[in-house]
Amino acid sequence: MQTDPILVPSIPGAPPASDALPPDAIALAHRRSCGFGLHAHDAPDAEALSGADLGALRDTHRLLCGHALPVMETLFRQIAGTHSMVLLTDPGGTLLHALGDDDFLTRADRVALRPGVGWSERSKGTNAIGTALAAGLPVQIHARQHFLRANHFLTCSCAPILDPLGRIAGTLDVSGDHRSQGRHTLALVRMSAQMVENHLFALQFADAVRVHFHARGEFLGTLMEGSAAFTPDGRFLSANRSARFQWGMPLAALQAHTFSSLFGCEISTLLAHCRQAAPGPLALRLRGGVTVAARAEYRSPSATFAMPAPPARPASPAAAAHGSPAAAPGPTAPPAAGLARLDTGDPQVARAIAQVRKLLGRDIVTMVLGETGTGKEWLARAMHQDSPRHAGPFVAINCAAIPEPLIESELFGYADGAFTGARRRGHAGRIAQAHGGTLFLDEIGDMPLPMQARLLRVLQERAVVPLGGDRPVPVDVAVVCATHRDLRALRASGQFRDDLYYRLNGLVARLPPLRDRQDRAVLVDRLLAAQAAPGRPPMRLDAEVAELFARHDWPGNLRQLASVLQTAALMADGEACIRREHLPEDFLDEAADSGAAPPQPAPATAAARGMPCPLHALADQAVASALDRHGGNVSAAARALGVSRNTIYRHAARRA
């Protein structure tokens, strides 16, 4: 009997799955199997639900099935050809749906691996589905680790799917020939289960205040972001896996908290920021001092910080075909601003605005180029507001943020009957949701090549063919694209299609980096005015900070400026003036590295105290020692020394 521990592969940036099963978990599962009266030589119990009972069970779990089936389809495409199948179960381990390689389905049927059959440990002994449910953890059961010998030809990887309140709603499993499963199959299953969980979470708390956050701003809008739901008065409702991981607390412990105790500020501050502030993440501070980038969603009638819903209008042909509203809202966005509001005195920005204004309402794709954070989405939203389509939806899609297994169903939707038991009338993709309005394709340079071919067809034919469908659905959209990448270089390297490049390159509008803009002072004033509490004058910068801002090169552009000012305003806590001590430490380190920081008094050297080596050498040595102690983990070394990560990088670079 094999009792090796089953290690869970890690996903970069994702919470660990409580990391691994205990070393004796398989042995314990085998003892439980014996306790159920099973014997290793038993034939698998093939008793299955009747068709009517299976249909009733699927209906009971229709939300789970509706959100899991598209994920199952994309997961199956990742493992196709590996003699495997993807399975969805209910909380008791009964199989609800299965997708598999044709050459494997017959073998799977011999061990009752089919819908309607139960795979709890009580029924089948140690197996990935039953053991994952028993342990509440992702698990991989390989070959002879199965209790029943009939299942020794399998390797199965399973992850529980949790509902928005942290209870097990079902499981997602990949089972296949033990000779052909890849070592990262369990990681793919875990990621897919988390996608389903996040969909269910967003649906459950659609009317709550939802805060999405991550210590690394680039992970906002991705699978890795934490999501938490609160009432408008700040009472905690629930949080997804990533949020619980970032807080380091289980759901039961979080129930005792409020928004203010978890983020260090009142929820009224969040709502006021969202009502008034320019686009960009809000800096919040978790318990323990970690600063995170955050964005919020709230659909209360009294909340005005989200993108206003378009006026009621007849359902579009595309939306009607999918049973979805014509003006499905895109991601939460700041208040829209017309082009005139973006013209704050910089000649390059004024030129870009003049160019796009001439083409409003024309069927010409606009490509907005600029470094990350230069305001490409601001310009796209302003174009939409000033266009004849302003009453229609504005749908923004970050092509780099959607996980690749989901991008096809997310963009193009899926048709009625695409999957067994799928949602009635299918699901409209984001492109169809933009019918009658504007489709903004951000980071278009990061779109995978197969999706580029499908997008080209949509743009040429003005119609979408959903996954599993054979009938094109007409779509009428204005298209705005944006990228910070060099598309010509991507074309030359074969990473971007020539035909799509020429289809998108109608008008090219370039936004300058913040360091080259002549209106930085105006932008600072506007951002500070947006953060001012009602009835109070906006903060201002003191002379030292104003000089520092003027000399800094702002590699993060407008997004960085907004984030620094938001953090500084919180740190100033109602004071009239933002001073150096209110600025984030990472920003000050960055400014010092770039030479933008005002000169500081030189530190006393070791030699001045009669020591043989200078102080910076001792600091370099301390950093090297901390990195060695923590296995090269920069964040851990920074915490141990009480400095920022940039300080660690600076000293490490000096020693290199």
Side-chain angles (χ1 to χ4, degrees), residues 72-347:
M72 290 177 66
E73 178 71 14
T74 52
L75 175 59
F76 176 61
R77 287 200 296 273
Q78 297 288 312
I79 63 164
T82 62
H83 309 289
S84 301
M85 62 194 306
V86 182
L87 303 160
L88 178 70
T89 81
D90 75 348
T94 299
L95 303 190
L96 297 173
H97 293 283
L99 297 170
D101 287 327
D102 292 339
D103 60 354
F104 183 73
L105 292 177
T106 301
R107 297 178 67 194
D109 192 64
R110 293 173 188 163
V111 293
L113 205 57
R114 60 179 180 271
V117 177
W119 275 76
S120 66
E121 283 189 337
R122 183 178 295 276
S123 171
K124 299 294 187 298
T126 306
N127 71 90
I129 292 170
T131 304
L133 287 171
L137 294 170
V139 59
Q140 186 175 82
I141 302 296
H142 176 64
R144 289 179 296 168
Q145 290 175 329
H146 288 88
F147 182 78
L148 297 182
R149 293 194 176 184
N151 295 331
H152 284 185
F153 74 97
L154 295 169
T155 289
C156 305
S157 304
C158 183
I161 298 171
L162 303 184
D163 73 9
L165 299 179
R167 302 166 301 198
I168 292 180
T171 71
L172 194 62
D173 173 271
V174 169
S175 293
D177 189 300
H178 73 280
R179 296 166 297 183
S180 59
Q181 276 212 30
R183 59 190 296 265
H184 296 304
T185 301
L186 183 56
L188 285 172
V189 173
R190 284 175 51 199
M191 291 180 68
S192 299
Q194 194 173 344
M195 291 175 197
V196 179
E197 290 177 359
N198 287 350
H199 291 172
L200 294 173
F201 187 91
L203 180 68
Q204 173 78 20
F205 296 108
D207 296 327
V209 178
R210 283 180 288 150
V211 183
H212 308 278
F213 62 95
H214 201 284
R216 294 175 59 180
E218 62 268 29
F219 285 138
L220 284 180
T222 74
L223 181 65
M224 309 310 170
E225 71 177 7
S227 295
F230 300 86
T231 62
D233 60 359
R235 181 169 58 86
F236 175 84
L237 295 175
S238 191
N240 71 353
R241 284 180 191 261
S242 180
R244 299 196 298 269
F245 171 68
Q246 292 185 65
W247 275 313
M249 286 187 282
L251 203 56
L254 287 168
Q255 295 291 345
H257 284 273
T258 64
F259 178 87
S260 60
S261 66
L262 291 170
F263 286 115
C265 70
E266 296 300 320
I267 197 167
S268 57
T269 302
L270 174 79
L271 297 180
H273 161 76
C274 291
R275 282 194 298 270
Q276 302 178 33
L282 174 69
L284 298 175
R285 192 175 294 273
L286 303 185
R287 292 166 56 85
V290 176
T291 299
V292 296
R295 61 184 181 88
E297 293 179 284
Y298 184 35
R299 297 180 182 176
S300 165
S302 62
T304 59
F305 61 84
M307 190 68 181
R313 56 203 298 266
S316 69
H322 297 294
S324 301
T332 297
L339 292 168
R341 181 171 173 77
L342 298 185
D343 192 354
T344 50
D346 180 80

Side-chain angles (χ1 to χ4, degrees), residues 14-73:
S18 294
D19 286 331
L21 290 177
D24 60 348
I26 303 301
L28 289 173
H30 278 260
R31 286 199 288 271
R32 287 196 300 269
S33 303
C34 292
F36 293 137
L38 299 173
H39 300 280
H41 293 282
D42 288 347
D45 179 8
E47 183 179 355
L49 296 175
S50 67
D53 289 342
L54 177 58
L57 188 63
R58 287 170 171 169
D59 190 60
T60 299
H61 300 286
R62 58 186 177 276
L63 285 180
L64 172 67
C65 294
H67 288 275
L69 284 166
V71 177
M72 290 177 66
E73 178 71 14

